Amino acid sequence: MTLSEKIIRPEVRALAAYHVPDSAGFLKLDAMENPYRLPAPLAQQLGQRLAEVALNRYPTPTYRVLKQKICTHLGVPPGFDVLLGNGSDELISMVSVACARPGAKVLAPVPGFVMYAMSALFAGMEFVGVPLNPDFSLDLPAMLAAIREHKPAVTYLAYPNNPTANLFDAGQMLAIIEAVGNDGVVIVDEAYQPFAQASFMDRLPASDNLVVMRTVSKLGLAGIRLGYMAACAPLLAEFDKVRPPYNINVLTEATAEFLLDHIDVLDQQAALLRRDRAVLVAALTAIPGLTVFPTSANFLLIRVQDSDGVFARLLDRKVLIKNVGKMHPLLANCLRVTVSTPDENQLFLDALRASLAP
Ligand SMILES: *Cc1c(COP(=O)(O)O)cnc(C)c1O
């Protein structure tokens, strides 16, 4: 037996390493990043601010100022607080670790965000995926049946969903939150909220089992790694116990505090992307033989005749998108592409047209 066979859990050894392609030299439309940088004067000011940060000190363990700014600027209801994560990926992992009692299960619609299942597996919890309908709406009867059968400790609903880009029906989500009731938490993952302009944040006071999770990544700050989640105080207090004490570094803390005071800049960038999303949808809809699914996010899901071929030909043209065609049967021949600047969207459209008719 090799050393890894002896000590590494079999389910970990069975995993393929998470593969992030090297995108140097590519038009990068695979990861839902905001293509816009900060305006130069603001970046200058931020640079000065960061130069003053005491790098020799640990962060303030409470992150009180940053949390307060998040609560006031990002619409957390009065009386509710947030817990911070090194990206929402870390929050997902904290929830899993905290809830991984023997036999505890995680439930989510599929296709969905892969980290829900991965994180459950890392924590030793069973993941139950409930297929969406072919139009990517929730299969409510199937969800309710799965909740009755599995009594999930954690249920995830991404709003909008990734990779399908659509918003689930809010009434059906409420039915799920009610069905889970006192037996589990329902995490509404609003990573794409700036592009959806719809939220469950206001429903927090009505549901003790609701957690609203967000990130600043898709808003334009993917590099700083900051996520937050809001929920009732007793739940947050428990999740906080499994949080690594200094999980938000001082540079992220200072950057976020500074930029939350200039949130209008990021909001304007999101508004541009929403506008250009409509332009891109219209252009794609006009291409015969291609389906564009409804989107409330900063990316589009499209279906072509042969996603592997189109993806490969786009790569030849130095355009990197995400081929999700093999991720789930419902996604057969689907590709996911990030909405970018007008210029980059046009480059993508030209490359796509050429790749559809090789
Ligand atoms: C991108 C994404 C996240 C992860 O965001 P980070 O804060 O960058 O870790 C979470 N949930 C969904 C649905 C996403 O698409």
Side-chain angles (χ1 to χ4, degrees), residues 43-44 59 61 73 160 183 189 246 270 300 349:
Q44 285 281 338
H73 292 295
D183 292 329
D189 180 348
Y246 301 113
L300 307 177
L349 276 171

Side-chain angles (χ1 to χ4, degrees), residues 202-242:
D202 291 343
R203 303 189 191 267
L204 279 172
S207 306
D208 282 349
N209 66 344
L210 174 62
V211 178
V212 176
M213 182 182 282
R214 290 192 189 155
T215 172
V216 298
S217 292
K218 314 298 166 27
L219 185 59
L221 303 173
I224 74 170
R225 311 304 299 130
L226 180 67
Y228 58 99
M229 62 182 179
C232 66
L235 267 183
L236 279 195
E238 297 303 331
F239 292 139
D240 194 36
K241 293 177 188 171
V242 300

Side-chain angles (χ1 to χ4, degrees), residues 31-32 86-90 92 113 116 158 160-162 189 191-192 213-218 222 225-227 299:
M32 283 78 91
N86 189 315
S88 34
D89 284 349
E90 191 187 44
I92 294 167
F113 188 48
Y116 308 148
N161 189 42
N162 173 14
D189 180 348
Y192 300 97
M213 182 182 282
R214 290 192 189 155
T215 172
V216 298
S217 292
K218 314 298 166 27
R225 311 304 299 130
L226 180 67
F299 64 92

Side-chain angles (χ1 to χ4, degrees), residues 56-171:
N56 54 321
R57 299 290 177 195
Y58 282 104
T60 53
T62 57
Y63 300 104
R64 190 183 48 82
V65 174
L66 176 53
K67 285 182 181 181
Q68 264 169 11
K69 281 187 199 267
I70 288 175
C71 288
T72 45
H73 292 295
L74 299 174
V76 177
F80 283 79
D81 199 1
V82 291
L83 191 63
L84 306 180
N86 189 315
S88 34
D89 284 349
E90 191 187 44
L91 293 170
I92 294 167
S93 144
M94 280 158 48
V95 169
S96 301
V97 169
C99 294
R101 306 168 74 220
K105 296 183 188 179
V106 174
L107 184 137
V110 289
F113 188 48
V114 287
M115 285 313 293
Y116 308 148
M118 293 290 277
S119 171
L121 182 132
F122 295 161
M125 277 192 284
E126 185 187 332
F127 176 80
V128 179
V130 179
L132 293 167
N133 291 316
D135 66 355
F136 304 132
S137 61
L138 286 169
D139 183 344
L140 186 61
M143 286 293 287
L144 296 178
I147 289 165
R148 272 194 304 275
E149 181 185 342
H150 298 284
K151 299 250 179 302
V154 185
T155 299
Y156 286 99
L157 295 168
Y159 188 73
N161 189 42
N162 173 14
T164 60
N166 58 316
L167 280 175
F168 297 138
D169 180 88

